[in-house]
């Protein structure tokens, strides 16, 4: 019997454990079902807003960005040419059948009224192609009985080395041309990637300029905003409210109005130059309008609340007794500030700087009105491609690259700090 006793004891313990864990598991399952029901009800309440955001914001952005890699204009306009080039190795000139097929496609495009769209799309890949395409279309219309091959061969543009590779690449609806162009890259004749010629390499320089201006404005707002936020958090509530209103008062004014005001203040005979001369900072009047320093000054004024408010929201939660405790333990003011106060404010500082930096990347009005020709940011180029050049594919490619850079920056901050520590309000 003694040998059987442990077995009976183990069985009795197992029965007790099952009887104890059974109700606990059922309660946990009931809680999970209740929480799932709450989530479904919350999702149902938010569903109309989510659908509205998807229809008015999400889907249009996705469709726009998709044009960075999807351009069927050339493929739709040159079907016979695409078929004739299907067996071409990309070296030298194609055979005469490709010239004849291109002539037929050009005539067909002219008849459909899409010749200009074809010329514009090809011109984005091959500068100068627009005028040559339209010129060839006119010659084909007035050729009479002249063979189309002779008309095509009479235009030197169609016998140049880079023309047919550009046409062959354009016959593919899905393309990497615009994304690579946004990074000043291109495919060479050997199938490799190379940089575009220096006279055509502009976008990387513009991206670097955009990030430099954004970083300079972020640093300037931090230098001005951190002491002001500390002052607001330290003074009595009545005075703090007045200072907050003073900070937010320009924030409530339209950005266009504030930018227009700075165009007056930064004139050569404006108030800023008068103040600099009166203080003795400058001996002659400075050209602040249409310059980078004027652009940074105006953007700093506009962005100051975006940096200050997250910092202030963190500072007001820090108790003054913490610094007093550090002093009582023998810490010097600078040591107490750097080891007690600053680590607690750091998430607010990073959140304010991140918010300001990202907003500065998309500035358009202020650089257009105050910046010079060499101070235009990437947003100005995107707007030019949309409104002037009507090249939506290039605008989408630049927007996509800017979005990738912005998300990468946000990911780095989130990785370092954690999203739960980024205090934006």
């Amino acid at each position: 019997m003694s040998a059987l006793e442990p077995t009976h004891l183990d069985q009795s313990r197992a029965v007790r454990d099952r009887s104890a864990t059974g109700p606990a598991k059922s309660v946990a399952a009931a809680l999970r079902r209740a929480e799932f029901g709450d989530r479904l009800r919350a999702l149902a309440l938010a569903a109309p807003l989510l659908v509205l955001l998807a229809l008015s914001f999400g889907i249009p952005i996705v469709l726009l960005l998709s044009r960075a890699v999807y351009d069927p204009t050339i493929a739709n306009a040159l079907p016979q040419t695409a078929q004739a080039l299907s067996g071409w190795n990309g070296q030298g000139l194609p055979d005469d059948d490709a010239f004849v097929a291109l002539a037929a496609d050009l005539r067909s495009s002219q008849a459909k009224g899409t010749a200009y769209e074809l010329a514009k799309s090809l011109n984005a890949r091959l500068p100068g192609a627009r005028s040559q395409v339209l010129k060839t279309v006119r010659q084909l219309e007035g050729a009479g009985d002249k063979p189309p091959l002779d008309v095509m061969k009479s235009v030197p543009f169609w016998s140049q080395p880079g023309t047919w590779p550009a046409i062959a690449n354009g016959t593919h609806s899905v393309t990497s041309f615009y994304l690579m162009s946004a990074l000043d890259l291109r495919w060479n004749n050997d199938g490799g990637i190379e940089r575009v010629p220096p006279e055509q390499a502009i976008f990387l320089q513009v991206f670097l300029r955009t990030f430099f201006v954004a970083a300079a404005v972020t640093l300037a707002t931090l230098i001005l905003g951190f002491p002001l936020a500390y002052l607001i958090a330290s003074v009595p509530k009545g005075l703090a409210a007045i200072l907050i209103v003073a900070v937010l008062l320009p924030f409530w004014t339209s950005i266009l109005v504030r930018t227009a005001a700075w165009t007056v203040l930064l004139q050569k005979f404006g108030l800023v130059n008068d103040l600099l001369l009166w203080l003795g900072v400058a001996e002659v009047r400075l050209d602040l309008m249409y310059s980078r320093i004027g652009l940074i000054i105006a953007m700093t004024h506009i962005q100051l609340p975006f940096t200050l408010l997250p910092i202030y929201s963190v500072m007001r939660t820090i108790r003054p007794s913490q610094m007093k405790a550090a002093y009582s333990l023998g810490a010097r003011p600078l040591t107490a500030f750097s080891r007690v106060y600053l680590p607690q404010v750091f998430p607010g500082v990073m959140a304010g700087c991140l918010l300001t930096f990202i907003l500065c990347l998309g500035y358009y009005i202020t650089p257009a009105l105050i910046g010079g020709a060499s101070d235009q940011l990437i947003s100005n180029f995107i707007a030019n491609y949309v409104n002037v050049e009507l090249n939506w594919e290039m605008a989408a490619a630049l927007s996509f690259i800017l979005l990738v850079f912005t998300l990468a920056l946000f990911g780095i901050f989130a990785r370092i700090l954690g999203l739960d520590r980024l205090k934006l309000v």
Side-chain angles (χ1 to χ4, degrees):
M1 295 296 294
S2 60
L4 297 176
E5 287 178 358
T7 303
H8 291 297
L9 290 174
D10 293 340
Q11 292 176 352
S12 62
R13 290 193 189 99
V15 171
R16 288 196 302 270
D17 292 340
R18 284 196 299 270
S19 62
T21 57
K25 290 183 178 179
S26 61
V27 171
L31 288 175
R32 285 195 296 269
R33 287 194 296 270
E35 291 176 355
F36 181 72
D38 292 340
R39 293 194 187 99
L40 286 181
R41 284 190 291 271
L43 182 61
L45 291 174
L49 177 60
L50 296 177
V51 172
L52 178 62
L53 288 176
L55 294 178
S56 62
F57 187 74
I59 295 178
I61 288 180
V62 172
L63 292 177
L64 173 63
L65 294 180
S66 66
R67 301 191 67 164
V69 295
Y70 182 72
D71 181 18
T73 304
I74 298 178
N76 294 338
L78 304 179
Q80 300 181 53
T81 306
Q83 184 177 1
L85 293 176
S86 59
W88 182 49
N89 60 4
Q91 302 296 326
L93 295 176
D95 53 24
D96 293 345
D97 293 339
F99 284 85
V100 175
L102 178 59
D105 285 332
L106 290 177
R107 283 179 169 175
S108 177
S109 298
Q110 179 67 6
K112 296 177 181 178
T114 59
Y116 181 79
E117 292 296 326
L118 169 64
K120 181 172 69 69
S121 181
L122 189 60
N123 189 78
R125 299 170 177 271
L126 198 62
R130 179 186 302 174
S131 60
Q132 297 297 326
V133 170
L134 299 178
K135 172 185 175 182
T136 305
V137 168
R138 290 192 298 267
Q139 291 186 2
L140 288 172
E141 286 183 333
D145 297 333
K146 188 176 181 180
L149 180 61
D150 294 342
V151 176
M152 299 299 296
K153 290 293 184 70
S154 65
V155 180
F157 175 77
W158 304 113
S159 299
Q160 294 177 359
T163 300
W164 286 98
I167 295 176
N169 291 331
T171 55
H172 303 286
S173 298
V174 178
T175 176
S176 61
F177 170 78
Y178 295 102
L179 286 178
M180 295 184 63
S181 298
L183 296 173
D184 292 334
L185 301 173
R186 67 180 182 183
W187 295 101
N188 56 28
N189 295 332
D190 298 329
I193 298 176
E194 65 179 9
R195 294 189 177 275
V196 300
E199 63 273 10
Q200 300 178 16
I202 58 174
F203 295 119
L204 283 182
Q205 181 181 357
V206 175
F207 274 113
L208 291 176
R209 181 195 308 158
T210 302
F211 279 84
F212 171 78
V213 171
V217 172
T218 302
L219 181 60
T221 56
L222 178 61
I223 294 174
L224 295 175
F226 190 95
L228 183 56
Y230 183 80
L231 175 63
I232 297 175
S234 303
V235 298
K237 292 184 178 180
L239 181 57
I242 296 175
L243 294 176
I244 285 291
V245 171
V247 171
L248 293 179
L249 190 59
F251 183 69
W252 295 330
T253 308
S254 170
I255 186 174
L256 181 59
V257 174
R258 282 179 284 173
T259 302
W262 276 109
T263 61
V264 177
L265 295 175
L266 294 174
Q267 295 290 336
K268 196 165 187 178
F269 292 92
L271 293 178
V272 175
N273 265 301
D274 291 341
L275 180 62
L276 293 177
L277 290 175
W278 182 71
L279 293 175
V281 177
E283 297 181 355
V284 295
R285 294 186 176 272
L286 305 177
D287 293 323
L288 299 178
M289 273 296 296
Y290 310 117
S291 65
R292 190 161 302 177
I293 184 63
L295 174 62
I296 292 175
I297 291 173
M299 290 178 63
T300 299
H301 169 254
I302 296 172
Q303 285 298 128
L304 182 59
F306 292 98
T307 304
L308 184 145
L309 291 177
I311 299 175
Y312 168 70
S313 67
V314 177
M315 285 183 173
R316 69 179 182 178
T317 63
I318 301 175
R319 297 180 179 179
S321 59
Q322 296 182 7
M323 296 295 290
K324 295 178 181 178
Y327 298 151
S328 66
L329 293 174
R332 296 181 178 179
L334 183 59
T335 303
F337 178 80
S338 61
R339 300 187 62 178
V340 177
Y341 193 83
L342 190 58
Q344 298 182 72
V345 182
F346 188 72
V349 171
M350 289 295 100
C353 291
L354 179 63
L355 181 61
T356 293
F357 187 86
I358 291 177
L359 290 176
C360 289
L361 294 179
Y363 259 67
Y364 167 69
I365 294 178
T366 308
L369 295 181
I370 295 180
S374 61
D375 300 313
Q376 302 303 295
L377 307 185
I378 194 65
S379 56
N380 300 101
F381 282 79
I382 294 173
N384 180 73
Y385 277 114
V386 171
N387 299 323
V388 180
E389 299 291 336
L390 301 180
N391 189 345
W392 287 70
E393 290 76 20
M394 198 66 221
L398 293 174
S399 301
F400 181 82
I401 297 299
L402 181 60
L403 178 62
V404 170
F405 285 158
T406 304
L407 292 178
L409 177 67
F410 183 81
I412 292 173
F413 272 81
R415 180 71 174 177
I416 295 175
L417 293 178
L419 292 177
D420 57 330
R421 298 187 65 195
L422 288 178
K423 301 181 182 297
L424 296 177
V425 292

